[in-house]
């Protein structure tokens, strides 16, 4: 086990489950802070603003600064801004997505859009989907913050953004460009923010299909925690394994003796 | 060309386009009536009641009785009734679907459903989709009236029921049972209503992927009309061709001399 110089850390299933903090998570972050190891939280959550996510963590006793939160909405806005800051964007999404686009001064429009951008939207309706389909058929590029098919809630697994996005992709036959984990786009941006070589970074998360694959695809070492979606048992048949796996984060020492 | 003893006839793109009657359609139906050739209109439309569809045709000068309309909602209700008349059904859909289920005295419920049934619903929202996902994950069977990915309108191609259904199928990983054309379920029911052997029936429609494939799969001869979605040019690469093709229905004589 090597001493990584920076960490990328997932949130849901790794730091908390819904509103419940996960044991060992706060202490793990405390040790990173004590040893001045830089870290960033990287989440497919597209609905929340980073300030709200950071406040939630602090309320759980996890020391996180606003600028240590990196969401799929922020990666989406940054991606579009890099391609063309004058892009016009039609949006299906919640405040986290609108906020990220506004911070990049990207114009949100109802028609003549260059991009249709979809994030989770629990106020989704037929008209929003219809307009998105018309724009995509008219040539707008289709971007989706993340392909998560389900969101864990107290009620059970509700439709995720990947499922909502499928209305537009199935209807138009156009494949979306996904931004969030396990895609390289969000990872490359997060790595650039950390400003360190990939081999010095460890990606920590509970979900093999998003967190661990994101690390594998971006050639960043991975630590899987069994406090959320995936277990070693459930992934043992897969050819690409996480670099490390622990039951929970209290078992992981960020600084080897 | 043989003299078919009964006809199954598509509506949108074959009898009318939206609110516009298609030239030759009314006269074709007139000849069927004059020669006492039985026929039935078979449509993937799940949102309208058969009485309303028949009235629309009559307003266009096409003589159609209420009982000559067979919708994907009617086929869906009939299918569920045949499996188990005491089924409890959670519904996403419009009045045509509710009406069909009511006519079969099928109980519509908000929870503990045996079936989740999805038809086009232009009042779709996240809560409806969420409840459908929870019920399907809890074991309810997923049925969809039809897999049409788009609906032609004056505004352009809007999301069809197949696209809406994908939210639930993508999120849950459960494949729906589709009822409408080109599936055999709606065809078998329509053929049974006509009460004649398949080889004496001709299926007429404009859409290769729904109407013509429905005929091919059910071993019913097909007549493709080039007044809607498909053209001979667009399907010439396909191995299975319609039995006949005409530019429009004025070219088709239901009774060979």
């Amino acid at each position: 086990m090597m001493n990584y110089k920076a960490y990328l850390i997932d949130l849901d299933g790794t730091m908390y489950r819904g509103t419940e903090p996960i044991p060992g998570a706060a202490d793990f972050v405390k040790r990173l802070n004590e040893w001045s190891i830089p870290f960033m939280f990287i989440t497919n959550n597209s609905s929340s603003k980073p300030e709200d996510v950071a406040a939630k963590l602090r309320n759980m006793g996890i020391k996180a600064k606003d600028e240590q939160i990196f969401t799929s909405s922020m990666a989406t806005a940054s991606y579009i801004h890099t391609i063309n800051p004058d892009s016009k964007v039609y949006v299906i999404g919640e405040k986290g997505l609108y906020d990220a686009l506004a911070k990049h001064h990207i114009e949100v429009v109802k028609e003549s859009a260059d991009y249709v951008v979809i994030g989770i939207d629990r106020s989704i309706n037929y008209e929003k989907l219809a307009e998105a389909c018309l724009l995509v058929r008219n040539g707008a590029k289709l971007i989706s913050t993340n392909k998560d098919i389900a969101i864990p809630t107290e009620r059970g697994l509700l439709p995720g953004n990947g499922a909502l996005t499928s209305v537009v992709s199935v209807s138009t036959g156009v494949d979306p460009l996904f931004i969030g984990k396990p895609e390289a786009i969000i990872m490359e941006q997060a790595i650039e923010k950390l400003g360190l070589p990939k081999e010095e970074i460890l990606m920590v998360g509970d979900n093999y299909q998003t967190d661990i694959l994101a690390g594998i695809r971006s050639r960043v070492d991975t630590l899987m925690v069994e406090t959320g979606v995936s277990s070693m048992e459930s992934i043992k048949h897969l050819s690409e394994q996480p670099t490390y796996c622990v039951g929970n984060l209290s078992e992981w020492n960020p600084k080897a003796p």
Side-chain angles (χ1 to χ4, degrees), chain A residues 11-27:
Chain A
L11 288 175
D12 214 337
T14 303
M15 289 289 114
Y16 50 70
R17 268 187 233 99
T19 54
E20 288 294 309
I22 288 175
D27 199 56

Side-chain angles (χ1 to χ4, degrees), chain A residues 222-242:
Chain A
T222 53
L223 168 62
M224 192 171 95
V225 287
E226 294 184 298
T227 50
V229 168
S230 306
S231 65
M232 280 308 280
E233 180 65 24
S234 70
I235 66 159
K236 68 181 181 193
H237 62 289
L238 298 171
S239 63
E240 297 193 288
Q241 292 286 311

Side-chain angles (χ1 to χ4, degrees), chain A residues 113-156:
Chain A
D114 305 305
Y115 293 95
V116 166
V117 178
I118 305 183
I120 185 79
D121 183 350
R122 281 156 290 196
S123 301
I124 193 75
N125 60 38
Y126 189 80
E127 182 53 30
K128 290 182 187 182
L129 294 164
E131 197 57 46
C133 286
L134 291 172
L135 288 165
V136 168
R137 285 184 184 272
N138 206 29
K141 292 186 182 71
L142 178 59
I143 294 185
S144 180
T145 57
N146 63 300
K147 66 166 73 138
D148 300 26
I149 57 172
I151 308 175
T153 73
E154 317 77 54
R155 293 170 66 194

Side-chain angles (χ1 to χ4, degrees), chain A residues 56-77:
Chain A
K56 174 177 176 174
L57 286 169
R58 289 191 296 266
N59 283 338
M60 291 177 174
I62 298 168
K63 274 198 186 162
K65 297 175 194 148
D66 295 354
E67 59 270 26
Q68 283 177 308
I69 309 295
F70 196 54
T71 71
S72 62
S73 283
M74 296 164 71
T76 299

